Amino acid sequence: EVQLVESGGGLVQAGGSLRLSCAASGFTFEKSDMSWVRQVPGKVLERVAAITRESSITTYATSVKGRFTISRDNSNNMLYLQMDLLKPEDTAVYYCATRWSPLDGDGNWEDLASVHWGQGTRVTVSP
């Protein structure tokens, strides 16, 4: 059974930093591209970052580019998201997900057997 367990969320002031972690199990992590997806209350899901299986390629949403860094540790089946210079608009629930593009064009999870996500971790950025 695929399991993705996020941690590291919390309350932080604007300008601060948080590091999210995702512990993966139940699949061959090193062979899976991975991503971080967030959901702002009342809005659709948004992929904020993705990373290829060997960390050779990363991509970021325009809204977080230069502030967030995605990384992974294949030896320990871990995915990370370092978030710096946080803004109130980064307030959301953050999900770790399998695949480079786990969302469809409408901002929903792709209806594919290969797409899995965790329970999410909440990040709140105060002004």
PDB file of all heavy atoms in Angstrom, residues 67-88:
ATOM      1  N   ARG A  67      11.883  31.112  -3.986  1.00  0.00           N
ATOM      2  CA  ARG A  67      11.638  31.059  -2.535  1.00  0.00           C
ATOM      3  C   ARG A  67      11.545  29.627  -2.014  1.00  0.00           C
ATOM      4  O   ARG A  67      11.896  29.371  -0.859  1.00  0.00           O
ATOM      5  CB  ARG A  67      10.329  31.795  -2.203  1.00  0.00           C
ATOM      6  CG  ARG A  67      10.322  33.254  -2.616  1.00  0.00           C
ATOM      7  CD  ARG A  67       9.071  33.976  -2.100  1.00  0.00           C
ATOM      8  NE  ARG A  67       7.838  33.433  -2.652  1.00  0.00           N
ATOM      9  CZ  ARG A  67       6.870  32.875  -1.923  1.00  0.00           C
ATOM     10  NH1 ARG A  67       6.993  32.791  -0.610  1.00  0.00           N
ATOM     11  NH2 ARG A  67       5.767  32.415  -2.511  1.00  0.00           N
ATOM     12  N   PHE A  68      11.057  28.712  -2.825  1.00  0.00           N
ATOM     13  CA  PHE A  68      10.885  27.317  -2.426  1.00  0.00           C
ATOM     14  C   PHE A  68      11.922  26.444  -3.139  1.00  0.00           C
ATOM     15  O   PHE A  68      12.295  26.715  -4.287  1.00  0.00           O
ATOM     16  CB  PHE A  68       9.500  26.801  -2.803  1.00  0.00           C
ATOM     17  CG  PHE A  68       8.361  27.376  -1.999  1.00  0.00           C
ATOM     18  CD1 PHE A  68       8.526  28.473  -1.168  1.00  0.00           C
ATOM     19  CD2 PHE A  68       7.103  26.793  -2.076  1.00  0.00           C
ATOM     20  CE1 PHE A  68       7.465  28.990  -0.436  1.00  0.00           C
ATOM     21  CE2 PHE A  68       6.030  27.290  -1.347  1.00  0.00           C
ATOM     22  CZ  PHE A  68       6.223  28.394  -0.532  1.00  0.00           C
ATOM     23  N   THR A  69      12.360  25.387  -2.452  1.00  0.00           N
ATOM     24  CA  THR A  69      13.292  24.435  -3.038  1.00  0.00           C
ATOM     25  C   THR A  69      12.826  23.018  -2.742  1.00  0.00           C
ATOM     26  O   THR A  69      12.654  22.652  -1.579  1.00  0.00           O
ATOM     27  CB  THR A  69      14.709  24.633  -2.481  1.00  0.00           C
ATOM     28  OG1 THR A  69      15.133  25.986  -2.692  1.00  0.00           O
ATOM     29  CG2 THR A  69      15.689  23.686  -3.166  1.00  0.00           C
ATOM     30  N   ILE A  70      12.628  22.238  -3.793  1.00  0.00           N
ATOM     31  CA  ILE A  70      12.243  20.837  -3.637  1.00  0.00           C
ATOM     32  C   ILE A  70      13.500  19.980  -3.712  1.00  0.00           C
ATOM     33  O   ILE A  70      14.419  20.272  -4.490  1.00  0.00           O
ATOM     34  CB  ILE A  70      11.224  20.418  -4.723  1.00  0.00           C
ATOM     35  CG1 ILE A  70      10.681  19.021  -4.449  1.00  0.00           C
ATOM     36  CG2 ILE A  70      11.821  20.522  -6.122  1.00  0.00           C
ATOM     37  CD1 ILE A  70       9.506  18.630  -5.366  1.00  0.00           C
ATOM     38  N   SER A  71      13.537  18.941  -2.886  1.00  0.00           N
ATOM     39  CA  SER A  71      14.668  18.016  -2.905  1.00  0.00           C
ATOM     40  C   SER A  71      14.192  16.652  -2.438  1.00  0.00           C
ATOM     41  O   SER A  71      13.066  16.512  -1.946  1.00  0.00           O
ATOM     42  CB  SER A  71      15.810  18.527  -2.018  1.00  0.00           C
ATOM     43  OG  SER A  71      15.401  18.607  -0.665  1.00  0.00           O
ATOM     44  N   ARG A  72      15.051  15.665  -2.605  1.00  0.00           N
ATOM     45  CA  ARG A  72      14.683  14.305  -2.210  1.00  0.00           C
ATOM     46  C   ARG A  72      15.908  13.546  -1.752  1.00  0.00           C
ATOM     47  O   ARG A  72      17.039  13.861  -2.136  1.00  0.00           O
ATOM     48  CB  ARG A  72      13.999  13.586  -3.364  1.00  0.00           C
ATOM     49  CG  ARG A  72      14.867  13.372  -4.591  1.00  0.00           C
ATOM     50  CD  ARG A  72      14.018  12.892  -5.775  1.00  0.00           C
ATOM     51  NE  ARG A  72      13.426  11.582  -5.519  1.00  0.00           N
ATOM     52  CZ  ARG A  72      12.428  11.085  -6.242  1.00  0.00           C
ATOM     53  NH1 ARG A  72      11.892  11.779  -7.229  1.00  0.00           N
ATOM     54  NH2 ARG A  72      11.970   9.882  -5.962  1.00  0.00           N
ATOM     55  N   ASP A  73      15.659  12.523  -0.956  1.00  0.00           N
ATOM     56  CA  ASP A  73      16.701  11.615  -0.479  1.00  0.00           C
ATOM     57  C   ASP A  73      16.226  10.204  -0.792  1.00  0.00           C
ATOM     58  O   ASP A  73      15.445   9.617  -0.042  1.00  0.00           O
ATOM     59  CB  ASP A  73      16.906  11.815   1.024  1.00  0.00           C
ATOM     60  CG  ASP A  73      17.937  10.864   1.618  1.00  0.00           C
ATOM     61  OD1 ASP A  73      18.426   9.989   0.891  1.00  0.00           O
ATOM     62  OD2 ASP A  73      18.235  11.002   2.815  1.00  0.00           O
ATOM     63  N   ASN A  74      16.680   9.673  -1.906  1.00  0.00           N
ATOM     64  CA  ASN A  74      16.213   8.357  -2.342  1.00  0.00           C
ATOM     65  C   ASN A  74      16.671   7.235  -1.409  1.00  0.00           C
ATOM     66  O   ASN A  74      16.020   6.194  -1.321  1.00  0.00           O
ATOM     67  CB  ASN A  74      16.679   8.077  -3.767  1.00  0.00           C
ATOM     68  CG  ASN A  74      15.902   8.872  -4.797  1.00  0.00           C
ATOM     69  OD1 ASN A  74      14.868   9.483  -4.497  1.00  0.00           O
ATOM     70  ND2 ASN A  74      16.404   8.898  -6.029  1.00  0.00           N
ATOM     71  N   SER A  75      17.769   7.439  -0.728  1.00  0.00           N
ATOM     72  CA  SER A  75      18.248   6.384   0.164  1.00  0.00           C
ATOM     73  C   SER A  75      17.343   6.213   1.381  1.00  0.00           C
ATOM     74  O   SER A  75      17.316   5.143   1.992  1.00  0.00           O
ATOM     75  CB  SER A  75      19.674   6.679   0.611  1.00  0.00           C
ATOM     76  OG  SER A  75      19.727   7.893   1.336  1.00  0.00           O
ATOM     77  N   ASN A  76      16.594   7.270   1.706  1.00  0.00           N
ATOM     78  CA  ASN A  76      15.693   7.214   2.860  1.00  0.00           C
ATOM     79  C   ASN A  76      14.227   7.418   2.499  1.00  0.00           C
ATOM     80  O   ASN A  76      13.378   7.562   3.381  1.00  0.00           O
ATOM     81  CB  ASN A  76      16.106   8.271   3.896  1.00  0.00           C
ATOM     82  CG  ASN A  76      17.398   7.912   4.590  1.00  0.00           C
ATOM     83  OD1 ASN A  76      17.501   6.864   5.215  1.00  0.00           O
ATOM     84  ND2 ASN A  76      18.398   8.774   4.452  1.00  0.00           N
ATOM     85  N   ASN A  77      13.940   7.414   1.197  1.00  0.00           N
ATOM     86  CA  ASN A  77      12.554   7.550   0.718  1.00  0.00           C
ATOM     87  C   ASN A  77      11.889   8.809   1.270  1.00  0.00           C
ATOM     88  O   ASN A  77      10.752   8.769   1.764  1.00  0.00           O
ATOM     89  CB  ASN A  77      11.725   6.324   1.095  1.00  0.00           C
ATOM     90  CG  ASN A  77      12.096   5.085   0.308  1.00  0.00           C
ATOM     91  OD1 ASN A  77      12.996   5.127  -0.537  1.00  0.00           O
ATOM     92  ND2 ASN A  77      11.431   3.989   0.573  1.00  0.00           N
ATOM     93  N   MET A  78      12.601   9.930   1.168  1.00  0.00           N
ATOM     94  CA  MET A  78      12.088  11.185   1.700  1.00  0.00           C
ATOM     95  C   MET A  78      12.031  12.262   0.623  1.00  0.00           C
ATOM     96  O   MET A  78      12.917  12.351  -0.233  1.00  0.00           O
ATOM     97  CB  MET A  78      12.965  11.685   2.842  1.00  0.00           C
ATOM     98  CG  MET A  78      12.958  10.811   4.080  1.00  0.00           C
ATOM     99  SD  MET A  78      11.366  10.779   4.928  1.00  0.00           S
ATOM    100  CE  MET A  78      11.246  12.479   5.480  1.00  0.00           C
ATOM    101  N   LEU A  79      10.993  13.067   0.686  1.00  0.00           N
ATOM    102  CA  LEU A  79      10.827  14.232  -0.184  1.00  0.00           C
ATOM    103  C   LEU A  79      10.742  15.457   0.722  1.00  0.00           C
ATOM    104  O   LEU A  79      10.146  15.390   1.803  1.00  0.00           O
ATOM    105  CB  LEU A  79       9.561  14.102  -1.011  1.00  0.00           C
ATOM    106  CG  LEU A  79       9.252  15.233  -1.990  1.00  0.00           C
ATOM    107  CD1 LEU A  79      10.223  15.171  -3.179  1.00  0.00           C
ATOM    108  CD2 LEU A  79       7.807  15.127  -2.498  1.00  0.00           C
ATOM    109  N   TYR A  80      11.330  16.566   0.268  1.00  0.00           N
ATOM    110  CA  TYR A  80      11.354  17.773   1.072  1.00  0.00           C
ATOM    111  C   TYR A  80      10.903  18.992   0.270  1.00  0.00           C
ATOM    112  O   TYR A  80      11.003  19.029  -0.950  1.00  0.00           O
ATOM    113  CB  TYR A  80      12.779  18.043   1.588  1.00  0.00           C
ATOM    114  CG  TYR A  80      13.351  16.921   2.408  1.00  0.00           C
ATOM    115  CD1 TYR A  80      14.277  16.037   1.846  1.00  0.00           C
ATOM    116  CD2 TYR A  80      12.978  16.724   3.727  1.00  0.00           C
ATOM    117  CE1 TYR A  80      14.818  14.998   2.585  1.00  0.00           C
ATOM    118  CE2 TYR A  80      13.509  15.691   4.478  1.00  0.00           C
ATOM    119  CZ  TYR A  80      14.418  14.831   3.903  1.00  0.00           C
ATOM    120  OH  TYR A  80      14.937  13.800   4.646  1.00  0.00           O
ATOM    121  N   LEU A  81      10.426  19.994   1.012  1.00  0.00           N
ATOM    122  CA  LEU A  81      10.143  21.294   0.414  1.00  0.00           C
ATOM    123  C   LEU A  81      10.629  22.353   1.399  1.00  0.00           C
ATOM    124  O   LEU A  81      10.034  22.528   2.468  1.00  0.00           O
ATOM    125  CB  LEU A  81       8.659  21.476   0.116  1.00  0.00           C
ATOM    126  CG  LEU A  81       8.317  22.761  -0.627  1.00  0.00           C
ATOM    127  CD1 LEU A  81       8.885  22.722  -2.059  1.00  0.00           C
ATOM    128  CD2 LEU A  81       6.804  22.987  -0.683  1.00  0.00           C
ATOM    129  N   GLN A  82      11.707  23.012   1.046  1.00  0.00           N
ATOM    130  CA  GLN A  82      12.211  24.135   1.842  1.00  0.00           C
ATOM    131  C   GLN A  82      11.503  25.392   1.392  1.00  0.00           C
ATOM    132  O   GLN A  82      11.553  25.738   0.201  1.00  0.00           O
ATOM    133  CB  GLN A  82      13.722  24.285   1.653  1.00  0.00           C
ATOM    134  CG  GLN A  82      14.331  25.461   2.392  1.00  0.00           C
ATOM    135  CD  GLN A  82      14.268  25.321   3.899  1.00  0.00           C
ATOM    136  OE1 GLN A  82      14.488  24.229   4.435  1.00  0.00           O
ATOM    137  NE2 GLN A  82      13.958  26.404   4.595  1.00  0.00           N
ATOM    138  N   MET A  83      10.832  26.055   2.319  1.00  0.00           N
ATOM    139  CA  MET A  83      10.056  27.239   1.982  1.00  0.00           C
ATOM    140  C   MET A  83      10.633  28.435   2.729  1.00  0.00           C
ATOM    141  O   MET A  83      10.608  28.471   3.971  1.00  0.00           O
ATOM    142  CB  MET A  83       8.586  27.037   2.360  1.00  0.00           C
ATOM    143  CG  MET A  83       7.985  25.776   1.744  1.00  0.00           C
ATOM    144  SD  MET A  83       6.204  25.649   2.014  1.00  0.00           S
ATOM    145  CE  MET A  83       6.162  25.504   3.797  1.00  0.00           C
ATOM    146  N   ASP A  84      11.153  29.382   1.987  1.00  0.00           N
ATOM    147  CA  ASP A  84      11.745  30.595   2.561  1.00  0.00           C
ATOM    148  C   ASP A  84      10.944  31.816   2.130  1.00  0.00           C
ATOM    149  O   ASP A  84      10.176  31.768   1.172  1.00  0.00           O
ATOM    150  CB  ASP A  84      13.202  30.721   2.106  1.00  0.00           C
ATOM    151  CG  ASP A  84      14.066  29.562   2.567  1.00  0.00           C
ATOM    152  OD1 ASP A  84      13.927  29.153   3.726  1.00  0.00           O
ATOM    153  OD2 ASP A  84      14.883  29.082   1.768  1.00  0.00           O
ATOM    154  N   LEU A  85      11.162  32.905   2.837  1.00  0.00           N
ATOM    155  CA  LEU A  85      10.483  34.169   2.519  1.00  0.00           C
ATOM    156  C   LEU A  85       8.983  33.954   2.354  1.00  0.00           C
ATOM    157  O   LEU A  85       8.366  34.410   1.381  1.00  0.00           O
ATOM    158  CB  LEU A  85      11.091  34.774   1.253  1.00  0.00           C
ATOM    159  CG  LEU A  85      12.586  35.106   1.322  1.00  0.00           C
ATOM    160  CD1 LEU A  85      13.087  35.565  -0.044  1.00  0.00           C
ATOM    161  CD2 LEU A  85      12.850  36.161   2.386  1.00  0.00           C
ATOM    162  N   LEU A  86       8.411  33.261   3.301  1.00  0.00           N
ATOM    163  CA  LEU A  86       6.997  32.908   3.209  1.00  0.00           C
ATOM    164  C   LEU A  86       6.120  34.147   3.234  1.00  0.00           C
ATOM    165  O   LEU A  86       6.418  35.151   3.900  1.00  0.00           O
ATOM    166  CB  LEU A  86       6.619  31.960   4.333  1.00  0.00           C
ATOM    167  CG  LEU A  86       7.067  30.506   4.099  1.00  0.00           C
ATOM    168  CD1 LEU A  86       7.085  29.728   5.396  1.00  0.00           C
ATOM    169  CD2 LEU A  86       6.156  29.838   3.080  1.00  0.00           C
ATOM    170  N   LYS A  87       5.007  34.047   2.504  1.00  0.00           N
ATOM    171  CA  LYS A  87       4.035  35.134   2.393  1.00  0.00           C
ATOM    172  C   LYS A  87       2.674  34.633   2.886  1.00  0.00           C
ATOM    173  O   LYS A  87       2.396  33.434   2.827  1.00  0.00           O
ATOM    174  CB  LYS A  87       3.902  35.565   0.936  1.00  0.00           C
ATOM    175  CG  LYS A  87       5.198  35.988   0.281  1.00  0.00           C
ATOM    176  CD  LYS A  87       4.969  36.303  -1.190  1.00  0.00           C
ATOM    177  CE  LYS A  87       6.269  36.729  -1.874  1.00  0.00           C
ATOM    178  NZ  LYS A  87       6.052  37.031  -3.316  1.00  0.00           N
ATOM    179  N   PRO A  88       1.816  35.540   3.320  1.00  0.00           N
ATOM    180  CA  PRO A  88       0.474  35.105   3.756  1.00  0.00           C
ATOM    181  C   PRO A  88      -0.262  34.308   2.669  1.00  0.00           C
ATOM    182  O   PRO A  88      -1.024  33.385   3.006  1.00  0.00           O
ATOM    183  CB  PRO A  88      -0.230  36.429   4.052  1.00  0.00           C
ATOM    184  CG  PRO A  88       0.880  37.335   4.491  1.00  0.00           C
ATOM    185  CD  PRO A  88       2.046  36.962   3.609  1.00  0.00           C
TER     186      PRO A  88
END
